[in-house]
Amino acid sequence: MNDILIVPAITAEVELLQQIARETFQESFAADNTPENMKQYLQENFSIAKLSAELSEPDSEFYFAMLKNQPIGYMKVNFRSAQSELYNSRAVELERIYVLKSHQGKKVGQQLFNQAMTLAMEARAPFLWLGVWEHNTKAIAFYRKNGFTEFTTHPFQLGTEMQTDLIMRLNLPLHKLQ
């Protein structure tokens, strides 16, 4: 029934990553931000050079949500020193999780999130954390539904505008892998 595959992204797929990253970010935030700030952010953060460097970072992992060989979403997780903030060196950061608007509401985000949970559990992380824009009520509701709670905030620069991200965490159970 579910034809969506969650697969690791490799460095050779940087153009594909750039395409889905720019498209999903634009869909998610263009209506609430100026075209100038959006353009600046997309150029600075989703350039081939920057994405290639991120893909090459050994403590970061990207995954695509694929449907019929086309990416419909993606996520990025960071381990150890690759985390954008070091709340705990053993924690895992879910830095990005985006799904095309045309595929939202079809559990694609949940599948990506489940993959992030698996990675965090395998890493024996004490918690999984993320930053989400304080005005992104849909995403905040999704994370709360999955057990996340807010524990602090941090600034997020979008072009010339300083915004605020809620920092949310999900404590992971102590577990033993077989």
Side-chain angles (χ1 to χ4, degrees), residues 8 12 26 33 47 50 69 75 95 107 131 133 141 150 165 170:
Q26 190 79 24
N33 292 282
S47 68
K50 183 140 182 0
N69 294 322
M75 74 168 185
E95 184 181 351
K107 307 283 185 212
W133 188 33
E150 294 122 56
D165 277 0
L170 174 63

Side-chain angles (χ1 to χ4, degrees), residues 31-156:
D32 299 310
N33 292 282
T34 68
E36 298 77 23
N37 281 342
M38 288 295 295
K39 182 179 180 190
Q40 182 180 342
Y41 186 86
L42 292 171
Q43 285 177 340
E44 290 173 0
N45 292 278
F46 297 130
S47 68
I48 292 294
K50 183 140 182 0
L51 290 171
S52 293
E54 290 181 16
L55 279 164
S56 300
E57 164 57 55
D59 283 341
S60 293
E61 295 179 19
F62 284 86
Y63 289 82
F64 288 121
M66 302 291 287
L67 178 64
K68 297 184 169 96
N69 294 322
Q70 289 298 312
I72 57 170
Y74 81 104
M75 74 168 185
K76 178 185 181 194
V77 292
N78 296 317
F79 302 88
R80 295 169 285 282
S81 62
Q83 296 177 76
S84 59
E85 300 230 12
L86 206 53
Y87 296 109
N88 180 313
S89 63
R90 291 182 47 240
V92 173
E93 175 189 15
L94 177 54
E95 184 181 351
R96 295 181 206 143
I97 183 167
Y98 288 98
V99 176
L100 290 171
K101 275 209 186 311
S102 58
H103 289 84
Q104 289 178 3
K106 299 177 182 176
K107 307 283 185 212
V108 179
Q110 189 65 51
Q111 283 183 254
L112 287 165
F113 171 75
N114 292 346
Q115 177 67 28
M117 281 291 294
T118 297
L119 294 168
M121 297 289 276
E122 287 172 352
R124 300 184 191 283
F127 60 90
L128 180 64
W129 71 274
L130 54 87
V132 59
W133 188 33
E134 65 183 341
H135 299 297
N136 191 346
T137 54
K138 192 173 170 186
I140 293 166
F142 172 81
Y143 297 128
R144 284 187 179 141
K145 182 185 79 147
N146 278 286
F148 281 81
T149 55
E150 294 122 56
F151 72 98
T152 190
T153 62
H154 74 180
F156 181 84

